Amino acid sequence: MQSAPINVGLVEDINSDGNPDLILAGNKYGTEVETTRMDGSFGFICLGDGKGNFELLAPYESGLYIEGECKSLKWIDIQNERYLVAAVNNGPLQFFKWNKDGFK
């Protein structure tokens, strides 16, 4: 799996198993001339087991697919539904609806 710099992360028990999980996002487009942009990330979900181990989920497993250079992540609730909002540099906000099976 490709990766890129992580700009932002959230710690929360997203799968309700009592263990902290990680939501990570990033990419870096503003690099030096001799360095290509680092854009291999679409966001990551890492499920914690409570013992310091994390299982990385691929985007097709988690439903999280953030396009662009993500600078901020926030949870919001709209009419009793939970959304993760990704703020992407020079782009529109991206909304991901959360349910017990992942992001939609």
Side-chain angles (χ1 to χ4, degrees):
M1 182 178 289
Q2 275 188 302
S3 64
I6 294 171
N7 297 329
V8 62
L10 298 175
V11 177
E12 185 170 330
D13 180 14
I14 61 171
N15 61 354
S16 301
D17 67 355
N19 300 314
D21 305 309
L22 303 174
I23 304 171
L24 306 170
N27 288 328
K28 183 174 174 119
Y29 290 2
T31 59
E32 299 83 15
V33 174
E34 65 274 3
T35 306
T36 61
R37 63 187 211 175
M38 296 173 260
D39 61 356
S41 173
F42 297 108
F44 299 103
I45 301 290
C46 300
L47 299 179
D49 66 1
K51 299 175 186 173
N53 303 305
F54 291 88
E55 175 188 358
L56 176 65
L57 299 181
Y60 70 87
E61 296 173 301
S62 68
L64 184 65
Y65 190 87
I66 301 170
E67 295 187 49
E69 185 180 21
C70 186
K71 297 293 189 174
S72 182
L73 295 171
K74 299 289 181 196
W75 286 107
I76 63 169
D77 294 313
I78 301 173
Q79 297 179 349
N80 297 322
E81 294 183 324
R82 193 145 203 227
Y83 293 85
L84 181 71
V85 180
V88 177
N89 195 29
N90 294 322
L93 293 175
Q94 297 176 34
F95 290 78
F96 301 90
K97 183 178 174 184
W98 173 253
N99 66 44
K100 63 181 176 66
D101 297 319
F103 290 99
K104 303 293 176 204

